[in-house]
Amino acid sequence: MVTEEKIRRINELAAKSKSTGLTEKEKAEQKALRNEYIQAVRRSLKANLESIRLVDENGREIGPLPRKYKH
């Protein structure tokens, strides 16, 4: 789970990267935090998309969205 503290740290590292640069340790931390954030966004998006149901003009459920991609 990506906490507000982790998001704040991502932003701090981004700002420092633009101003003075990052150490190798900070670059590794930034990469790990960004990857964690991206994975959380993907999980959230996937859950939202999987919960979508199609209905016809009469309000009857006609099925979920077809799955084109599997990961």
Side-chain angles (χ1 to χ4, degrees), residues 7-33:
I7 292 172
R8 181 184 49 75
R9 183 63 178 152
I10 290 169
N11 291 330
E12 285 174 0
L13 290 169
K16 184 176 179 190
S17 175
K18 290 178 184 178
S19 64
T20 61
L22 299 175
T23 65
E24 290 303 314
K25 185 177 178 182
E26 289 170 330
K27 287 178 185 178
E29 178 187 8
Q30 182 183 44
K31 183 176 181 179
L33 287 169

Side-chain angles (χ1 to χ4, degrees), residues 41-70:
V41 169
R42 286 180 179 161
R43 282 190 303 272
S44 176
L45 178 60
K46 182 178 179 185
N48 285 329
L49 290 175
E50 288 176 348
S51 70
I52 293 173
R53 299 291 179 249
L54 300 175
V55 295
D56 65 13
E57 58 276 353
N58 297 320
R60 291 180 297 191
E61 188 171 316
I62 57 175
L65 290 172
R67 293 193 64 159
K68 288 186 175 183
Y69 308 102
K70 288 189 177 184

